[in-house]
Amino acid sequence: MAYGPFLLVTVMYWMTGMDADFVRYLRFAGIYLSYDIACLGLGQFVSSLSGNPMIGMTILPAFVAPMIMFSGVLYQKSTVPSWLGWMHHVSLVNYSFSALMAEQIHILPDNQADILAAFIDLNENSAGINVVYLWVMTGALMILTFLALSLRLRNVTAS
């Protein structure tokens, strides 16, 4: 499960002109692989909600679209109404994007980096904590998957 994403991030990293420091590359790859594993956890959870794969594929966008919309990539987080402000805290995209940007924003010219950091409300020292949040969310999704499958199994055996 990690070979494909690792190959993808390796090619993408060096082709796009990111920082040529090998340690930064390893951090970038680690963040990307953490995001990939979190997305696998989300997919497992959504698929555990239904016994039919087509239904699982139908409801997955209902989970993914809000994660993308409330990640802060498309708009400033400060412009979100307060009653929807909590949504970026449950977005896998938010944590991975913030961590990746914190790792690579230094390659932009100062004026562009400042504008971008202000737009996405970026803390340049937040990469580590964002990866921790990704792993916490992965663990929570795995637990939810287990609970959903246990409940489905209990309902099937009770019938």
Side-chain angles (χ1 to χ4, degrees), residues 46-108:
V46 171
S47 66
S48 72
L49 297 176
S50 169
N52 185 340
M54 295 308 290
I55 293 174
M57 288 175 26
T58 303
I59 62 175
L60 185 62
F63 287 86
V64 175
M67 286 188 183
I68 294 170
M69 288 188 301
F70 293 98
S71 65
V73 175
L74 303 173
Y75 58 86
Q76 285 182 294
K77 292 177 190 174
S78 61
T79 63
V80 176
S82 60
W83 59 278
L84 288 174
W86 62 274
M87 291 289 284
H88 75 274
H89 293 294
V90 294
S91 172
L92 300 174
V93 178
N94 172 46
Y95 295 120
S96 60
F97 177 71
S98 295
L100 291 171
M101 287 304 297
E103 278 297 313
Q104 293 295 319
I105 199 163
H106 70 278
I107 66 174
L108 295 174

Side-chain angles (χ1 to χ4, degrees), residues 1-150:
M1 291 299 223
Y3 295 132
F6 189 74
L7 180 61
L8 173 71
V9 76
T10 299
V11 171
M12 177 187 66
Y13 188 88
W14 299 110
M15 284 183 71
T16 56
M18 300 285 185
D19 193 344
D21 182 18
F22 189 70
V23 173
R24 289 231 185 232
Y25 157 73
L26 290 177
R27 285 188 205 152
F28 190 91
I31 294 167
Y32 183 82
L33 292 175
S34 297
Y35 173 65
D36 184 63
I37 292 168
C39 288
L40 287 172
L42 177 65
Q44 288 174 344
F45 171 65
V46 171
S47 66
S48 72
L49 297 176
S50 169
N52 185 340
M54 295 308 290
I55 293 174
M57 288 175 26
T58 303
I59 62 175
L60 185 62
F63 287 86
V64 175
M67 286 188 183
I68 294 170
M69 288 188 301
F70 293 98
S71 65
V73 175
L74 303 173
Y75 58 86
Q76 285 182 294
K77 292 177 190 174
S78 61
T79 63
V80 176
S82 60
W83 59 278
L84 288 174
W86 62 274
M87 291 289 284
H88 75 274
H89 293 294
V90 294
S91 172
L92 300 174
V93 178
N94 172 46
Y95 295 120
S96 60
F97 177 71
S98 295
L100 291 171
M101 287 304 297
E103 278 297 313
Q104 293 295 319
I105 199 163
H106 70 278
I107 66 174
L108 295 174
D110 285 341
N111 59 344
Q112 290 178 2
D114 294 341
I115 292 169
L116 181 61
F119 181 80
I120 62 174
D121 192 26
L122 180 68
N123 177 358
E124 292 185 34
N125 299 321
S126 67
I129 193 69
N130 285 322
V131 172
V132 169
Y133 287 144
L134 278 175
W135 282 102
V136 167
M137 290 182 70
T138 300
L141 287 166
M142 297 294 181
I143 291 169
L144 288 171
T145 301
F146 174 77
L147 293 174
L149 289 175
S150 297

